[in-house]
Amino acid sequence: MLRQRSSRLAALLAGVAVRAEHFPRGTIGNCTCESSQGLHTPIGSALRRCKTPSPVQAAHGPVCQQALTQHDHWCPHCLSRALQNAQQPSSGHAYLRHSFAAQTRQYHALLNSQATTAADAPSLASLQGLLHVYKQSLDHLGADAVEQLRHTLAPSDEEELHEEDTGWAAAAVREQLNTAPVDKVQELTLQQLSVALSAYVASSMQPPARVLQQVSQRLEQVLHKEFDADDITTALNSLAFFGHQASETLIEAIRASLARTYFAEITPIQLGTLMLAIAELGHRNLKLLSAVAREVVDRVDDFGPVELSEVMWSFAVLGHRHERMVDVVTQSLLFRLSDMPVASMSQLVCAFAVLKHKDAVTDVFLDAVSDEALKKVEAFEAGDMANMMWAYASLGHWSYVDADLISAVTARMLRVHKELNASSMVNVVWALAKTDYAGNANRRTRTLLDNIAKSAMSQMDCFTPEQLSRLLWAFSTLHHWHEELYDAVAAETLRQVNSFLPCHLADMVSAYAHMVHHPGPLLDQMTQRILPKLDIMDAGALCSVLWAHGVLQTLTPDLFDKVCQTLETKPLGEFKPHDFERAFHAELLLEADLESKQREDFRKLPKWIRQYAYRAWQDRIYFDRNVTWFQQEVCRSLIELGVNFELEKFLADGCHTVDIVLRIPGKPRLGINMDPPQRFSSNRPYRPLAEAVCQRRLLAAQGWEMITLPQHEWRRNVSQKERAAYLEKLLDCSLEDGRDSLKKITNDSDASAACRKAALQAAAAAARAAHLQEHGQ
């Protein structure tokens, strides 16, 4: 019905001026309407005192009723404030609600009337105020009061408003505002513009682009004449809320207004919120930022920790690093951290991370923040804690944080992990992946990761492509195995695969390969998505793609050749030693697979790349040559068993080593693989990772029979006798049937679990026998 009358309402509105007798100040404070002169204050105080039924309440009722008889002259601000205080039923409250209902119905009747004169039609500001009051009443009244209000707003006493009809006031305002002629918008003041936009936000309705553009242009005009920090902040926040891209001229008008001595009038609180609003719009006006920076430097002692963190964060969002301001703010807050809210603390540290600002002073400040955060760790919200973890990790300071703080943060996260959203979950696991502390896989960290994995699976559709990539990278870097999460990420990635950037897909396929988990149909989809965009990928991503396919045994000569052709065009500066290692490793894996299938040769890495790659691979082998305590203990047990061996044997091709070669007649190529914890998942079932699996494949391709000796199983045997018995049983299992043993070692993901189980049982039996012998039993 309202839409059918839109043309008539627009015509009425064209002749309407904002009438002083109807809400001359809109919905903002400092009201000058008649009700504010001796009426607003007594009603507000009376209603605040009327919290429970009492004789005093009855005495206040007539006061409220007498004042409210003049509700036609109340502005929405006064009426809204009074309505907000009406929390409990009373005669005054009931009359207040009745008056509000009568007023709203009056304007509803005007909208539905056949009036042709502008004097009878509601003004633009009146409708804005009406909507603001209506929304605020629903936000502040209890459920019973809302139902009562809906009943009084019904078209008739007999007909009650249905749930879908409760937005009729919003619909009325939409008709009026959306069809308002341009000349009427041009007559609005800064305050009225702010009211108009906030009314849209309050009603959760998207204004047309035409309205936003007209309001934005009008803001530029009025800023040359007047400036109110609160009003402009509200207006800018509303524009950002609706995704409107404000023009550079609007930001320049704000800067010019501030330059006209308004900096002296604006408070630190107002400046902080204003800068956050400007940052939301994403406009980087260097003159404005420089002026604000000078103001902060000159008046830093007048700013509280909250305002300083807001200004710093706004500069970070806009990508502007003012070195002088950063230093002054850092030194000022260094001695005020005890007064700083934890949310502001997190916001400030995140600003440092976004700006990539880190020097000696910042290091001292970050240490001080760590100490203060440890005292207030229970006050942190889950999101703030996650953001702080991300900031410390981004700045490379997370590894230097005291272990007590990391332990306290992890414990806190265990209690609040259910409050984390998708972004916060990614920040937490990414930060943990950046520190060696998390790599130690303590029980608390493993539990936290399991809980985050479960939460992530329940919110999988909330993750962006980049967040999915970072989440998977973090879990694989932490060596944390959670099969359900990896499958859920694969399913969600398959759904969004066309939205992924090639670099993110390269990270994901690398993460799956690192955990030796085939993502199923997703792998082909990722490959098809990557191949047409090889030219825009850097050398590191290309080498990761080669290596991942090699690990997952899906690397073909054709794919290898295509990637190598692109790699050959990349400058040397793009490569890191790790990239060369992966490229060479991929070549070795492809060569081994082709030899096992008796297929023809293939084109290897480009000559200049292969030279660097071969050198990087050999450097890695020689670096890992140091004899560890693990090898020393195994050698001691072999000596006790009378087994001849050779330690750290380099094979003829110079590309492989065997930890221990056993000199056993009839077994010229029998060795022991000594796998440290970093070659397995950090949690049960201690799944072998890519490095361990690929080493077995490459050695098996050269005819070697390898006995796998995981360090975590070796350490279960405490005494030397237990270890000797364990090793002896492993050797017996291997020597009984070499071919069967080879099959188990190369294909069984548990790496000869049956043999190792028997060996552990033998070790336990030896330990019991030694115990009985020692006690003479």
Side-chain angles (χ1 to χ4, degrees):
M1 183 182 296
L2 289 174
R3 289 183 179 179
Q4 296 174 356
R5 293 191 300 274
S6 60
S7 58
R8 180 176 60 81
L9 292 174
L12 290 176
L13 187 60
V16 175
V18 179
R19 299 163 56 192
E21 65 271 21
H22 280 291
F23 312 157
R25 295 285 291 176
T27 63
I28 312 300
N30 303 319
C31 176
T32 60
C33 69
E34 181 178 347
S35 61
S36 66
Q37 307 300 322
L39 291 178
H40 177 75
T41 301
I43 290 178
S45 59
L47 291 175
R48 279 192 290 273
R49 289 194 296 270
C50 292
K51 294 299 182 184
T52 56
S54 66
V56 178
Q57 183 188 68
H60 290 152
V63 177
C64 298
Q65 183 171 348
Q66 180 181 3
L68 288 170
T69 54
Q70 305 183 35
H71 65 266
D72 286 340
H73 301 285
W74 276 56
C75 77
H77 176 72
C78 296
L79 189 56
S80 173
R81 286 291 182 86
L83 193 63
Q84 291 173 25
N85 287 316
Q87 300 296 329
Q88 300 293 334
S90 70
S91 57
H93 299 160
Y95 194 83
L96 175 63
R97 294 193 186 96
H98 176 75
S99 300
F100 173 70
Q103 193 173 28
T104 53
R105 291 173 67 178
Q106 174 188 354
Y107 281 101
H108 192 211
L110 284 172
L111 288 173
N112 291 304
S113 69
Q114 300 298 321
T116 56
T117 61
D120 294 329
S123 67
L124 183 61
S126 300
L127 289 171
Q128 295 162 5
L130 171 64
L131 178 61
H132 191 77
V133 173
Y134 180 77
K135 295 300 294 185
Q136 283 198 350
S137 67
L138 297 184
D139 292 339
H140 291 87
L141 291 178
D144 295 339
V146 170
E147 289 303 320
Q148 182 180 359
L149 182 60
R150 288 175 177 171
H151 180 73
T152 57
L153 289 175
S156 66
D157 294 338
E158 295 78 15
E159 182 182 356
E160 187 173 352
L161 225 64
H162 296 288
E163 183 69 26
E164 61 271 14
D165 297 327
T166 56
W168 65 264
V173 176
R174 183 185 295 113
E175 289 291 341
Q176 291 292 310
L177 294 181
N178 293 354
T179 58
V182 177
D183 58 342
K184 286 298 150 188
V185 176
Q186 298 301 321
E187 294 178 3
L188 298 180
T189 65
L190 174 61
Q191 190 177 56
Q192 291 167 340
L193 290 168
S194 173
V195 170
L197 290 172
S198 61
Y200 272 112
V201 174
S203 66
S204 300
M205 60 182 185
Q206 175 75 32
R210 176 187 63 83
V211 173
L212 291 176
Q213 186 62 31
Q214 292 173 0
V215 172
S216 181
Q217 292 174 357
R218 178 56 181 166
L219 283 173
E220 296 177 26
Q221 298 172 0
V222 298
L223 283 173
H224 293 294
K225 303 175 183 178
E226 56 178 316
F227 184 90
D228 182 88
D230 294 331
D231 288 341
I232 191 61
T233 298
T234 301
L236 294 181
N237 279 326
S238 301
L239 291 175
F241 178 82
F242 292 118
H244 179 71
Q245 295 295 324
S247 63
E248 287 284 354
T249 54
L250 175 58
I251 307 301
E252 177 59 26
I254 296 174
R255 184 204 64 78
S257 298
L258 289 171
R260 291 195 303 268
T261 71
Y262 286 113
F263 265 124
E265 301 176 8
I266 193 170
T267 65
I269 295 177
Q270 291 174 327
L271 184 59
T273 55
L274 176 61
M275 289 306 300
L276 287 178
I278 293 174
E280 283 292 323
L281 292 174
H283 282 293
R284 185 183 180 192
N285 187 300
L286 295 180
K287 292 183 179 180
L288 173 62
L289 294 175
S290 298
V292 172
R294 287 194 300 269
E295 189 72 13
V296 171
V297 170
D298 294 341
R299 299 170 53 192
V300 67
D301 292 336
D302 296 336
F303 283 77
V306 174
E307 293 79 54
L308 290 176
S309 65
E310 289 175 345
V311 173
M312 284 286 294
W313 178 245
S314 65
F315 272 63
V317 172
L318 295 172
H320 184 70
R321 183 166 67 182
H322 193 283
E323 299 289 349
R324 174 61 177 160
M325 186 189 76
V326 173
D327 291 341
V328 170
V329 170
T330 303
Q331 296 180 25
S332 174
L333 290 178
L334 190 59
F335 303 99
R336 291 194 279 169
L337 287 176
S338 58
D339 301 328
M340 194 172 190
V342 292
S344 298
M345 200 179 298
S346 175
Q347 186 181 50
L348 182 63
V349 175
C350 287
F352 285 133
V354 173
L355 292 172
K356 295 180 173 58
H357 181 83
K358 194 170 187 292
D359 53 21
V361 177
T362 309
D363 284 338
V364 173
F365 181 78
L366 291 175
D367 288 338
V369 170
S370 300
D371 296 338
E372 192 65 28
L374 182 58
K375 301 175 185 176
K376 302 177 179 179
V377 67
E378 294 299 325
F380 277 90
E381 296 290 339
D384 294 332
M385 182 68 73
N387 291 337
M388 179 171 280
M389 292 173 66
W390 169 85
Y392 271 84
S394 298
L395 292 170
H397 201 82
W398 187 238
S399 298
Y400 303 100
V401 174
D402 188 84
D404 291 339
L405 175 61
I406 299 181
S407 179
V409 168
T410 307
R412 173 67 175 163
M413 276 297 173
L414 276 173
R415 293 189 290 274
V416 300
H417 71 273
K418 293 183 179 179
E419 303 174 14
L420 295 172
N421 57 22
S423 177
S424 297
M425 282 187 278
V426 172
N427 286 342
V428 170
V429 295
W430 187 86
L432 290 175
K434 285 291 186 177
T435 174
D436 293 337
Y437 177 83
N440 291 333
N442 59 78
R443 183 177 300 176
R444 183 175 291 168
T445 303
R446 292 195 298 266
T447 304
L448 175 60
L449 291 174
D450 283 335
N451 291 338
I452 290 178
K454 294 177 183 178
S455 298
M457 287 189 293
S458 65
Q459 303 180 39
M460 195 55 61
D461 57 343
C462 300
F463 287 85
T464 65
E466 182 179 2
Q467 289 171 344
L468 286 171
S469 174
R470 293 179 64 196
L471 180 72
L472 199 66
W473 174 88
F475 268 86
S476 66
T477 302
L478 291 167
H479 299 177
H480 192 82
W481 175 244
H482 196 288
E483 186 173 6
E484 293 83 2
L485 174 66
Y486 284 85
D487 290 340
V489 171
E492 183 62 24
T493 303
L494 187 60
R495 189 179 68 84
Q496 302 186 44
V497 68
N498 292 328
S499 302
F500 277 77
L501 296 176
C503 59
H504 295 152
L505 292 176
D507 289 340
M508 294 197 74
V509 69
S510 178
Y512 278 111
H514 185 65
M515 302 302 295
V516 199
H517 183 65
H518 198 292
L522 174 63
L523 185 60
D524 291 336
Q525 292 293 325
M526 289 193 293
T527 305
Q528 293 176 14
R529 176 78 176 166
I530 288 173
L531 283 177
K533 301 183 179 181
L534 293 176
D535 293 339
I536 64 174
M537 298 172 66
D538 60 26
L542 293 172
C543 292
S544 294
V545 170
L546 281 180
W547 176 82
H549 279 278
V551 172
L552 297 174
Q553 295 183 290
T554 56
L555 185 59
T556 63
D558 183 56
L559 175 60
F560 187 84
D561 187 54
K562 288 181 179 179
V563 177
C564 285
Q565 289 179 12
T566 308
L567 276 176
E568 198 169 10
T569 65
K570 301 297 180 181
L572 178 62
E574 278 194 19
F575 291 83
K576 297 178 181 179
H578 181 64
D579 301 330
F580 284 123
E581 289 178 17
R582 285 196 158 187
F584 192 77
H585 201 184
E587 180 184 289
L588 293 177
L589 291 169
L590 178 59
E591 186 176 19
D593 289 342
L594 292 178
E595 287 180 357
S596 66
K597 299 175 183 178
Q598 298 181 351
R599 294 182 57 180
E600 68 278 1
D601 199 3
F602 66 99
R603 180 188 175 190
K604 298 187 177 182
L605 289 170
K607 185 176 180 180
W608 72 269
I609 295 179
R610 198 175 195 280
Q611 290 177 348
Y612 284 103
Y614 181 73
R615 190 180 307 165
W617 183 260
Q618 286 199 321
D619 289 344
R620 173 194 173 189
I621 293 177
Y622 280 100
F623 177 79
D624 292 339
R625 191 183 180 187
N626 296 330
V627 178
T628 65
W629 65 266
F630 183 24
Q631 289 174 304
Q632 293 175 5
E633 290 184 355
V634 174
C635 290
R636 179 182 174 185
S637 296
L638 288 173
I639 292 173
E640 288 186 6
L641 294 173
V643 178
N644 191 13
F645 63 89
E646 179 182 351
L647 187 63
E648 289 286 351
K649 178 180 176 61
F650 282 83
L651 302 188
D653 61 2
C655 298
H656 305 90
T657 62
V658 178
D659 294 333
I660 296 178
V661 178
L662 301 177
R663 299 301 184 186
I664 297 177
K667 293 283 186 178
R669 294 194 175 188
L670 179 62
I672 298 179
N673 259 346
M674 307 181 64
D675 291 328
Q678 56 266 31
R679 292 186 181 180
F680 296 87
S681 62
S682 59
N683 58 328
R684 295 181 185 278
Y686 302 115
R687 179 184 177 88
L689 301 182
E691 184 176 1
V693 172
C694 290
Q695 185 181 29
R696 300 170 197 172
R697 280 171 51 193
L698 293 176
L699 291 174
Q702 298 199 19
W704 282 84
E705 300 177 24
M706 302 303 300
I707 300 172
T708 301
L709 189 58
Q711 182 177 318
H712 62 268
E713 290 190 359
W714 179 262
R715 297 184 69 175
R716 293 181 191 175
N717 305 292
V718 179
S719 68
Q720 185 61 29
K721 288 185 178 180
E722 292 174 346
R723 291 171 178 172
Y726 169 74
L727 186 57
E728 182 179 13
K729 189 63 178 179
L730 278 182
L731 293 174
D732 289 342
C733 289
S734 177
L735 295 174
E736 285 177 1
D737 187 351
R739 183 174 301 175
D740 185 55
S741 174
L742 174 61
K743 182 179 179 181
K744 289 179 180 179
I745 293 172
T746 56
N747 295 333
D748 187 359
S749 62
D750 291 332
S752 303
C755 288
R756 295 204 309 275
K757 182 178 180 180
L760 288 172
Q761 291 173 349
R768 288 194 298 271
H771 178 78
L772 292 175
Q773 183 179 1
E774 181 180 352
H775 291 81
Q777 297 180 2

